[in-house]
Amino acid sequence: MNASTQLRAALQQPGMRIAPGAYDAITARLIQQAGYPLVYMTGAGTSASLGYPDYGLITQTEMVDKAAILARSVNIPVISDADTGYGNELNVTRTVHEFESRGVAGIHIEDQVAPKRCGHLDGKEIEPLPRYLSKIRAACAARRHPDFYIIARTDSRASMGLDEAVERANAALAEGADMAFIEAPQSHEEVVSIPRRVNGPCLLNIVQGGKTPVTDLRDVQQMGYKLAILPGVLLRTAVIAFDEVLADIMQEHIVPERLNRYSPHQSFQRFGADEWDEVRARFAQHEQPAVRTA
């Protein structure tokens, strides 16, 4: 099944889907192996993996290349951050084509002025609504497969208030977007009110330490959200673990014993060794053994 069709079918089922954030093939595969139905490619995590903060420094081609790696590494749909669409209507059209051609199931496009910033940082600038809607229209028209999923993100809550954010979300849905993403609501009451005020499916971005109160995912589902993303959950976990291991080695001059519980063979197995061994066995069965020389 086409990845976009798979995504659309998942989001049409009752209840809410949860998509942890991945920034490379390792994290994407771990999400799939843990049983999640979707992978979310985080822009902040991807920026960090390339050595940059989430300040709009990553190009469209860098994001597309990363998303392609994730999409070919898993058998579940990948939704990718596509920032501002990387320009005007022409750029947005190409952005949709590039992500879609790599097997990505859907993207979200936001209304920040480029260069954008992380949605939970201060100092974001918002583009006029007509310009934003023209990009949403272009994105919806550009999809070659009707199921390619377009999520309209608005960052206007921070500077313009929740009423403006809801108006923008509804306007984007009216132009053909499949889902609304109001970034960084600032209270529990706002989080509760968004699905009631928006005329379509809603996404909630859960960022630990961000502007939105951390909420029990069971409560988020009861509020009526269809998708919850956790962009930084694996990156933060990894950084904490890396810092601890590196500090232990620096101080003790011994590799921590706990790492011995996870062998190289286990690592190879989790990232496709069995599949490649099967290919080798199928096609090398008549191969002559190597000749050893003295």
Side-chain angles (χ1 to χ4, degrees):
M1 182 186 297
N2 175 280
S4 297
T5 303
Q6 191 178 351
L7 170 62
R8 193 170 290 273
L11 293 174
Q12 287 174 343
Q13 293 175 8
M16 182 184 74
R17 308 279 83 79
I18 300 170
Y23 52 89
D24 61 9
I26 295 174
T27 47
R29 279 190 174 242
L30 291 176
I31 290 166
Q32 176 175 286
Q33 290 169 10
Y36 290 90
L38 310 172
V39 170
Y40 172 67
M41 192 181 93
T42 158
T46 300
S47 296
S49 74
L50 294 173
Y52 295 102
D54 191 14
Y55 285 177
L57 298 170
I58 305 304
T59 66
Q60 181 227 64
T61 51
E62 288 173 318
M63 288 291 285
V64 167
D65 288 346
K66 276 279 194 171
I69 292 171
L70 270 61
R72 65 132 167 95
S73 299
V74 296
N75 297 320
I76 56 176
V78 174
I79 302 170
S80 179
D81 186 345
D83 297 318
T84 63
Y86 308 102
N88 64 16
E89 300 84 357
L90 301 180
N91 305 96
V92 168
T93 297
R94 184 188 171 201
T95 293
V96 170
H97 290 169
E98 296 294 340
F99 276 105
E100 189 176 5
S101 69
R102 302 311 198 281
V104 177
I107 58 174
H108 65 70
I109 298 174
E110 67 202 54
D111 58 359
Q112 284 195 54
V113 173
K116 55 79 53 92
R117 294 169 63 83
C118 169
H120 289 256
L121 295 179
D122 294 327
K124 297 182 291 183
E125 297 181 55
I126 305 302
E127 62 186 3
L129 179 58
R131 185 179 303 162
Y132 173 54
L133 294 181
S134 70
K135 296 199 295 188
I136 296 298
R137 284 194 296 271
C140 294
R143 47 189 165 194
R144 291 174 170 138
H145 193 288
D147 286 337
F148 186 76
Y149 214 78
I150 304 293
I151 300 171
R153 166 175 156 173
T154 176
D155 286 67
S156 57
R157 165 62 189 92
S159 59
M160 299 179 175
L162 184 62
D163 288 345
E164 174 70 18
V166 170
E167 180 182 342
R168 284 174 171 245
N170 283 329
L173 290 169
E175 294 292 350
D178 297 297
M179 179 174 283
F181 172 3
I182 295 180
E183 175 65 302
Q186 297 183 13
S187 70
H188 178 76
E189 291 72 25
E190 289 189 2
V191 175
V192 170
S193 72
I194 287 171
R196 299 174 181 172
R197 299 180 61 187
V198 170
N199 303 324
C202 293
L203 176 157
L204 183 65
N205 183 17
I206 298 175
V207 177
Q208 297 82 357
K211 294 183 179 296
T212 301
V214 175
T215 308
D216 188 312
L217 287 168
R218 291 166 294 188
D219 294 336
V220 174
Q221 177 170 278
Q222 289 299 316
M223 293 172 194
Y225 286 90
K226 292 300 295 182
L227 177 61
I229 59 172
L230 294 86
V233 66
L234 292 184
L235 177 61
R236 289 171 183 234
T237 301
V239 169
I240 291 169
F242 294 162
D243 282 345
E244 291 177 351
V245 168
L246 293 170
D248 286 349
I249 295 171
M250 176 67 75
Q251 293 168 10
E252 306 295 335
H253 289 251
I254 297 174
V255 177
E257 177 66 25
R258 62 183 181 275
L259 299 185
N260 293 333
R261 296 197 296 266
Y262 192 69
S263 70
H265 179 67
Q266 289 173 301
S267 176
F268 297 154
Q269 281 186 312
R270 295 197 70 176
F271 299 106
D274 289 347
E275 301 165 22
W276 289 100
D277 287 344
E278 182 181 346
V279 172
R280 175 72 172 168
R282 284 172 56 203
F283 297 110
Q285 56 186 324
H286 302 301
E287 187 176 86
Q288 295 296 317
V291 177
R292 295 185 179 274
T293 58

